Amino acid sequence: MAEIKDPENTIIMETTKGKVVISLFPDLAPGHVARIKELSREGAYDGVVFHRVIEDFMAQTGDVQYGKQGGADFNPGRAGMGGSSKPDLKAEFSATNHTRGTCSMARSQNPNSANSQFFICFTDAPWLNKQYTAWGQVIEGMDVIDTIKRGEPVRDPDSIISMKVAADA
């Protein structure tokens, strides 16, 4: 297992394909890191599907409203259109490059519309640099991310079984 240097700023995400460990960037994106940790601690991401997975680009998940299996509003046809009940976040763009394993917030055309959805880059995506808020980096389990079922939308999607802050695990 990857060495966890800062358990308070590390996420352990168990997926239907296996375990992924993500190191958080609290210095670069404090508001986004706080939101990811808050939703993780609430169990909001548990059961959420990977609803948009594009080969040679990224795997997107985090729709805690419409993408949470077993949730009151779960709707596979609407997965990717929702967020959490919390307010949208102000953009925290940085000079961090979107490279393989970068975790970044999804948003609409409005730069300040990130809420709960996020994506993990399969490959380098330089066109996203300074356009999306990078909040973490996969330090273990990119081989797991590589096996997530592809599609837009994904048929019979893989999902997050649990997502926890390492300090709580």
Side-chain angles (χ1 to χ4, degrees):
M1 187 164 133
E3 183 185 354
I4 296 176
K5 295 181 175 115
D6 183 358
E8 185 56 36
N9 287 300
T10 305
I11 293 288
I12 299 172
M13 180 172 66
E14 196 67 48
T15 73
T16 48
K17 296 290 191 179
K19 184 171 77 174
V20 178
V21 181
I22 301 167
S23 177
L24 302 175
F25 300 154
D27 295 342
L28 296 178
H32 289 71
V33 165
R35 173 67 56 84
I36 293 291
K37 288 168 38 174
E38 179 183 19
L39 291 171
S40 295
R41 285 187 160 127
E42 291 173 358
Y45 288 122
D46 300 357
V48 174
V49 300
F50 284 88
H51 65 271
R52 182 173 178 242
V53 184
I54 303 171
E55 186 69 37
D56 296 323
F57 181 28
M58 58 87 211
Q60 187 169 329
T61 185
D63 182 345
V64 302
Q65 182 178 8
Y66 299 121
K68 186 177 177 80
Q69 296 168 321
D73 294 328
F74 178 61
N75 181 338
R78 296 200 68 196
M81 297 179 192
S84 74
S85 59
K86 300 173 189 321
D88 288 348
L89 296 164
K90 185 177 184 321
E92 294 176 303
F93 301 153
S94 69
T96 298
N97 290 327
H98 282 73
T99 58
R100 177 170 164 76
T102 298
C103 302
S104 192
M105 291 304 270
R107 62 171 179 80
S108 70
Q109 299 278 26
N110 178 349
N112 300 314
S113 62
N115 187 290
S116 66
Q117 292 188 48
F118 64 92
F119 59 90
I120 301 171
C121 295
F122 288 126
T123 59
D124 294 358
W127 62 92
L128 301 177
N129 296 347
K130 299 181 183 171
Q131 305 290 319
Y132 288 80
T133 300
W135 55 264
Q137 179 70 38
V138 173
I139 58 172
E140 178 186 313
M142 269 311 292
D143 56 327
V144 171
I145 297 299
D146 287 339
T147 64
I148 290 174
K149 208 173 293 163
R150 308 309 200 249
E152 273 190 285
V154 183
R155 291 175 57 137
D156 189 28
D158 290 305
S159 61
I160 297 169
I161 295 170
S162 73
M163 192 158 145
K164 298 191 177 348
V165 176
D168 304 338

